[in-house]
Amino acid sequence: MSAMSNSNWSRRSIFRAAAGMAAAGTLAACGGNNGRGGGSGSGKQLVQYFHAYGEAGTEQAIKRYAKAYSKADVTTNWITGNNFEAKLFSSLLTKQAPDVFEFHPQLQLVKSGQVADLSDIIDPVKDDFNPADIKSHTVDGKIYGIRMIDDPQFFYYRKSMLEKAKVDVPTTLDELLEAAAKLTTGKVKGVFLGNDFTAIQNPIIWSAGADTIDANNKIAYHTDGVVQGLKQLRQLFTSGHVLLDAPTDFWDPSSLDQGLCAIQWGGMWSMPVMQKALGDDLGIFPFPSIGSKGKQSVYNGGWSMFVNAKGENVEAAKAYVKWLWIEQKKYQEDWATSYGFHIPPRTSIANSATKLKSGLPAEGVKLFTDYGHFDNIAYDQTMQTAFADVIANSVRKNGNPEAALDACDKKVDVELKKLFG
């Protein structure tokens, strides 16, 4: 079994707190305990929130780093279950709020004054970060989070299964549908796209040559190519060639490792476990292109560290974040490469990360570089959830994709007006 199987938290859930910040107020605050008791007597007490990573050893690592910090007692809330965002957002509305937390860049957190400006601690080393990771955290020239890891997502496949079925690696969505049909035999399904298909909702947009929202903060996902992609995914969903209701979701490598499917959507974090299980019988490829304007794509997810601007210990929290995520390069490399494989967002660390320099990990880095798309800080929770509804209504159900996108547009427009007037 994969090291991730003990966690039912969808690693890079696209839903990202569907309830949003408003509804979050009605939720209980993380068991009512922010862990502020105890401490080694160094004075300041800080609490940090992390979602439960699936890779073995991660919780122990984060707690080990925190223990090595001498200027404050840092307690870690390691939040299990599949509703990390809801728990985080509900806690941020209470006195139990964490001082430091991991999340994804979100403009609404900046606009609401929830996250602190970290420009002063990042600026001296800004040029050492992937420029896309700086851009995705920047609002009006200020940087509001520090990227800890970049997590490219792509398809994994069993080389032997494709060879046996005489199937080439798909480069278009048409080819993926054909491959899935040829690869489906007995108990093995051709492809696994995650249990509800939401894991691939951004790649569908990018692979169709579109975008989530454009440089002018207008809707950019409602195109003929995206409609075509939704129709093809509906075809795939009903074909009998897709693994549905898998025991674990896309973030866990078990479905491919255990031979339930020939091709699986997943993240680079799964690679060490998959290589251990499958050896050289493992390949990767980007999400295939859709339609005539399409381009292959890779989703560069990841996690970032934020400071709660409404907390009581903002300066102490910033000092801790600076120490761990700017100064402690050894810990940063350990976090990125010793458990699952992630790409260090800092060039100097990426350049020295020997585990990512050859073989399949190096191929993953190349896909990240050649085909990667990063989060848009303005494409928030509510917008993500609205597009997840498009998938539910036009792929998992037999709804009209145009009508589903029209409904999505209304919700996204409301959000864009809130954010940009």
Side-chain angles (χ1 to χ4, degrees):
M1 286 292 283
S2 142
M4 295 189 185
S5 299
N6 60 4
S7 164
N8 67 342
W9 153 243
S10 169
R11 256 311 297 277
R12 181 60 178 71
S13 165
I14 302 288
F15 282 111
R16 298 191 186 163
M21 297 198 68
T26 60
L27 295 162
C30 268
N33 172 28
N34 69 350
R36 287 190 199 277
S40 62
S42 64
K44 284 288 178 198
Q45 294 186 351
L46 300 174
V47 172
Q48 59 180 358
Y49 271 28
F50 277 76
H51 83 279
Y53 285 66
E55 301 94 319
T58 45
E59 181 180 6
Q60 293 79 3
I62 278 294
K63 290 179 175 176
R64 188 174 74 248
Y65 309 155
K67 196 175 179 185
Y69 185 61
S70 61
K71 292 180 181 171
D73 298 320
V74 183
T75 305
T76 304
N77 269 14
W78 190 256
I79 298 173
T80 56
N82 60 359
N83 56 348
F84 169 69
E85 288 92 343
K87 287 182 173 178
L88 169 65
F89 281 159
S90 64
S91 75
L92 287 172
L93 299 172
T94 70
K95 287 181 179 172
Q96 308 293 328
D99 302 289
V100 173
F101 59 90
E102 68 166 359
F103 202 56
H104 319 290
Q106 295 269 299
L107 185 58
Q108 61 183 14
L109 292 175
V110 176
K111 293 261 185 183
S112 64
Q114 187 69 65
V115 291
D117 173 10
L118 303 181
S119 307
D120 55 330
I121 63 176
I122 300 172
D123 276 339
V125 293
K126 189 166 95 169
D127 293 344
D128 190 34
F129 276 86
N130 184 322
D133 281 322
I134 295 294
K135 186 186 173 188
S136 64
H137 293 70
T138 299
V139 179
D140 297 331
K142 294 176 180 175
I143 307 167
Y144 286 90
I146 300 179
R147 194 62 137 186
M148 299 180 290
I149 46 175
D150 284 323
D151 276 340
Q153 296 177 23
F154 33 65
F155 280 112
Y156 288 94
Y157 68 97
R158 298 279 291 266
K159 290 179 178 177
S160 58
M161 288 184 179
L162 268 69
E163 280 164 23
K164 190 179 176 187
K166 297 185 171 59
V167 168
D168 291 328
V169 172
T171 59
T172 68
L173 192 53
D174 284 322
E175 290 171 1
L176 182 66
L177 266 70
E178 288 168 26
K182 288 178 184 170
L183 291 162
T184 299
T185 56
K187 290 180 181 174
V188 180
K189 294 294 185 182
V191 66
F192 179 45
L193 295 161
N195 280 328
D196 62 9
F197 282 41
T198 54
I200 58 161
Q201 68 180 51
N202 282 7
I204 294 164
I205 294 169
W206 295 319
S207 279
D211 206 347
T212 50
I213 49 182
D214 66 19
N216 299 315
N217 299 309
K218 303 289 184 201
I219 288 169
Y221 57 76
H222 194 153
T223 68
D224 292 344
V226 171
V227 170
Q228 180 184 330
L230 292 167
K231 286 178 178 172
Q232 286 178 287
L233 284 171
R234 171 66 187 169
Q235 207 182 323
L236 191 57
F237 183 76
T238 56
S239 67
H241 306 142
V242 179
L243 177 63
L244 302 171
D245 303 317
T248 57
D249 213 339
F250 80 100
W251 46 265
D252 183 291
S254 303
S255 292
L256 194 77
D257 288 357
Q258 295 171 7
L260 302 180
C261 60
I263 298 172
Q264 173 179 342
W265 185 252
M268 190 156 153
W269 58 80
S270 297
M271 202 177 274
V273 169
M274 295 176 105
Q275 287 184 301
K276 195 173 177 184
L278 301 173
D280 292 334
D281 190 25
L282 186 65
I284 55 175
F285 63 93
F287 198 93
S289 67
I290 299 169
S292 57
K293 294 179 182 171
K295 295 173 184 171
Q296 292 169 293
S297 72
V298 165
Y299 182 22
N300 289 340
W303 291 89
S304 308
M305 193 44 60
F306 298 90
V307 168
N308 178 8
K310 297 180 179 179
E312 292 167 17
N313 303 304
V314 176
E315 289 311 312
K318 280 176 70 173
Y320 169 64
V321 166
K322 180 185 179 186
W323 174 81
L324 180 50
W325 298 110
I326 298 289
E327 295 170 0
Q328 301 302 313
K329 284 192 171 187
K330 197 172 91 175
Y331 290 150
Q332 291 160 42
E333 180 169 351
D334 181 64
W335 186 240
T337 62
S338 294
Y339 310 99
F341 285 158
H342 315 264
I343 297 175
R346 294 181 70 171
T347 312
S348 59
I349 298 174
N351 286 345
S352 65
T354 49
K355 290 177 184 176
L356 307 182
K357 289 293 177 198
S358 59
L360 204 63
E363 279 184 51
V365 173
K366 187 164 176 13
L367 292 188
F368 165 87
T369 307
D370 293 351
Y371 300 106
H373 293 262
F374 287 73
D375 282 315
N376 183 324
I377 194 169
Y379 193 60
D380 69 12
Q381 248 79 359
T382 309
M383 300 180 204
Q384 296 266 5
T385 305
F387 199 91
D389 291 341
V390 173
I391 306 277
N393 293 326
S394 64
V395 176
R396 303 205 322 268
K397 298 174 195 161
N398 197 21
N400 180 308
E402 279 289 0
L405 286 167
D406 287 341
C408 181
D409 291 351
K410 285 179 184 167
K411 293 175 189 169
V412 172
D413 275 331
V414 169
E415 278 302 291
L416 289 172
K417 283 196 178 73
K418 277 187 206 165
L419 291 172
F420 302 106

